[in-house]
Amino acid sequence: MSSNIRIIRICQQCGNEFEARKTTSKTCSDNCAKKAYKARQRSTNVQTSAEQTLQIKLKPIEDIKAQEFLTVNESAMLIRISRRSLYRLNERGELPFVKLNRRTVIRRSDIDRLFDRPAELMEKSRPEPVALADCYTMKEIREKYDISEKALYELIHRHEIPKQYSSIYAYVPKYRIDQLLSNPSNLS
Ligand SMILES: [Zn+2]
């Protein structure tokens, strides 16, 4: 009688022997079944993300060039600089980032424009450095003027206020900030 046949299996999760109720059972208990399922999900996720990374790496540059809007990663690949360098370009007001649904999008025409400017002009447009004693850090401005980080960033960007860097801090000229923020309409 078939009911007398006992199917003994090894649990794929804990390695213990168990009596299988179905020929397809792979685990000894609900608990092990859950753990096995989670492990499978994890490995699928890792695999998917590895595949996505590979796809991005293999995505031909030509393909990117054909796009009108690029991600930060794609833009960095296109001009072969680091993401950090792209963010610097953006902070210096040389490359606009567009936020769409919390995603950062860069117009390819804006990237092209980076290279349109003659080298000498780019040199000239670089502002004279201001002594750090005559600059604010972002924190100092926010404390003095009670302005949000986002609003301050946008203000600096919109008015093309030059940023200087010393160690990890960005500095901007005090007189530019005081001039702008003494006008209450800039504080909204
Ligand atoms: Zn088990």
Side-chain angles (χ1 to χ4, degrees):
M1 286 199 335
S2 61
S3 60
N4 287 337
I5 299 170
R6 295 173 65 209
I7 308 167
I8 301 298
R9 286 175 175 262
I10 303 290
C11 172
Q12 69 168 33
Q13 186 59 30
C14 67
N16 290 337
E17 278 190 7
F18 68 102
E19 191 175 336
R21 271 174 251 132
K22 287 188 288 185
T23 52
T24 51
S25 299
K26 289 181 177 135
T27 45
C28 68
S29 61
D30 282 352
N31 199 18
C32 279
K34 268 184 210 151
K35 281 184 188 163
Y37 174 76
K38 275 192 183 150
R40 263 200 314 280
Q41 285 297 108
R42 245 192 327 268
S43 82
T44 312
N45 287 346
V46 169
Q47 206 182 337
T48 309
S49 123
E51 275 167 13
Q52 280 167 352
T53 307
L54 191 67
Q55 266 176 12
I56 290 169
K57 278 188 181 158
L58 292 181
K59 198 176 187 190
I61 294 288
E62 288 307 315
D63 204 31
I64 294 176
K65 281 185 190 163
Q67 313 272 343
E68 201 170 329
F69 297 99
L70 304 175
T71 64
V72 174
N73 278 338
E74 287 171 338
S75 307
M77 269 210 296
L78 184 66
I79 49 179
R80 295 176 196 278
I81 62 173
S82 68
R83 284 170 56 93
R84 183 68 212 128
S85 303
L86 268 186
Y87 279 101
R88 276 280 162 86
L89 282 170
N90 174 254
E91 283 162 11
R92 289 206 303 258
E94 293 176 37
L95 181 65
F97 283 5
V98 184
K99 296 268 185 212
L100 289 177
N101 292 329
R102 280 197 269 155
R103 291 190 64 180
T104 299
V105 176
I106 300 168
R107 243 193 318 237
R108 211 179 60 83
S109 57
D110 287 331
I111 295 180
D112 293 339
R113 205 166 299 133
L114 280 177
F115 299 94
D116 289 344
R117 291 176 290 177
E120 53 183 303
L121 195 97
M122 280 175 88
E123 275 309 310
K124 267 186 210 153
S125 72
R126 192 160 296 160
E128 285 288 308
V130 176
L132 288 189
D134 296 325
C135 291
Y136 288 126
T137 63
M138 303 303 119
K139 188 166 176 270
E140 284 170 340
I141 301 167
R142 280 175 28 223
E143 280 167 4
K144 180 166 180 180
Y145 287 102
D146 192 26
I147 183 173
S148 77
E149 194 172 356
K150 186 167 175 283
L152 176 58
Y153 176 86
E154 282 168 4
L155 189 86
I156 287 173
H157 185 78
R158 193 165 62 240
H159 293 273
E160 297 181 344
I161 294 177
K163 272 186 184 171
Q164 290 167 224
Y165 293 88
S166 173
S167 68
I168 60 164
Y169 294 105
Y171 292 82
V172 292
K174 282 182 181 173
Y175 78 94
R176 293 287 308 272
I177 294 295
D178 289 335
Q179 206 173 46
L180 279 170
L181 292 184
S182 56
N183 176 356
S185 72
N186 279 324
L187 268 172
S188 53

